[in-house]
Amino acid sequence: YNLVLVQAFIIDEAIRAVKEDRSQLVKTIGMLALLWAKWNLEVDDKFRQNEVLLVMSALIYNTIGALERSRGRVPEASLAPFQPACEYFMLLLLAVEWPKSWKAPLISRTEKLFPQLGTCLSKQWGKEVLTRDTSGCMQHPLSTAEQKQAILQHPLTQAHAHLESFEAQRPEPSQEFFDSHRALYGWVMQNDEAIAQEFVHCQDPSL
């Protein structure tokens, strides 16, 4: 039961970070990725898995959309600062159990924004050429368990992996904690597109 409370608290802290400062969107996704990679939510807690996957997918999807809309207005070089975040998003898109019908088009759209991503990832994975499926979608060479471990060890995940701190700070179970959690989740899911657009704008006001 303590674990359920800690996981809910991590989600709250992740959403609160981007609510207070839109530039923290990658931190939010990193904290949610920590939850996904550290625990087997698919088996342990379907409800928590749905929360984590829905928030991550909404923010990634809308950030890619905001960058696509910006691409036509500004030189391609202006998108370069977003490449590390989008490389991290790509690792999540490849690993996380989102439906392929949803994530495959988003993987392709991300590659179009950053054509060099494939080369960067193949070097990381020690592969000369990336494997692709029949539709041309990039395939990860590692098993799901290995991908999970790689995401857990990724600097953008590790930067926020303060598990002892989360355990020490998490509130006791209460109606107030429950209501706050529900309100934060409702806020992020109602404002996902605006949050992503504001994240892009605060990184580069010309976008």
Side-chain angles (χ1 to χ4, degrees):
Y1 188 62
N2 281 341
L3 181 57
V4 170
L5 294 173
V6 169
Q7 291 172 343
F9 180 61
I10 293 172
I11 292 175
D12 289 359
E13 289 295 284
I15 297 172
R16 197 173 283 118
V18 80
K19 187 173 186 183
E20 293 173 358
D21 181 355
R22 301 296 187 270
S23 72
Q24 297 300 305
L25 181 142
V26 177
K27 174 182 178 178
T28 296
I29 291 173
M31 291 172 73
L32 296 172
L34 170 70
L35 264 176
W36 174 82
K38 178 76 177 171
W39 290 287
N40 189 2
L41 297 178
E42 192 168 13
V43 172
D44 298 341
D45 191 338
K46 269 303 220 192
F47 177 78
R48 189 72 65 224
Q49 180 200 25
N50 285 338
E51 281 189 330
V52 169
L53 266 56
L54 281 168
V55 176
M56 276 204 298
S57 62
L59 294 178
I60 292 173
Y61 180 88
N62 284 298
T63 300
I64 297 302
L67 290 172
E68 285 174 329
R69 289 190 293 276
S70 302
R71 184 177 55 178
R73 302 197 303 270
V74 296
E76 282 187 27
S78 299
L79 298 186
F82 295 95
Q83 182 172 330
C86 288
E87 187 175 306
Y88 186 57
F89 296 169
M90 182 72 90
L91 293 174
L92 289 167
L93 287 167
L94 290 167
V96 177
E97 59 275 10
W98 287 302
K100 190 177 177 187
S101 59
W102 176 81
K103 69 181 186 176
L106 197 56
I107 289 169
S108 298
R109 287 165 59 191
T110 306
E111 270 201 279
K112 282 180 184 171
L113 279 172
F114 300 97
Q116 64 275 42
L117 271 186
T119 305
C120 293
L121 291 174
S122 61
K123 282 181 181 174
Q124 283 182 33
W125 299 334
K127 301 285 181 183
E128 288 187 21
V129 182
L130 287 176
T131 307
R132 295 180 181 274
D133 65 14
T134 51
S135 68
C137 185
M138 188 189 299
Q139 300 289 288
H140 203 299
L142 300 180
S143 70
T144 302
E146 289 171 321
Q147 289 182 67
K148 230 175 190 185
Q149 193 58 31
I151 286 167
L152 191 58
Q153 298 304 324
H154 193 284
L156 289 176
T157 311
Q158 281 297 306
H160 316 295
H162 313 305
L163 291 173
E164 288 182 8
S165 172
F166 291 137
E167 287 169 7
Q169 292 179 50
R170 64 109 177 127
E172 291 301 313
S174 65
Q175 189 64 40
E176 183 183 2
F177 183 27
F178 176 80
D179 291 344
S180 171
H181 178 79
R182 191 169 57 178
L184 283 165
Y185 177 76
W187 174 81
V188 74
M189 294 307 294
Q190 287 166 12
N191 296 282
D192 52 345
E193 188 172 353
I195 293 165
Q197 186 62 60
E198 289 166 29
F199 162 70
V200 169
H201 183 72
C202 71
Q203 301 297 311
D204 185 342
S206 70
L207 298 179

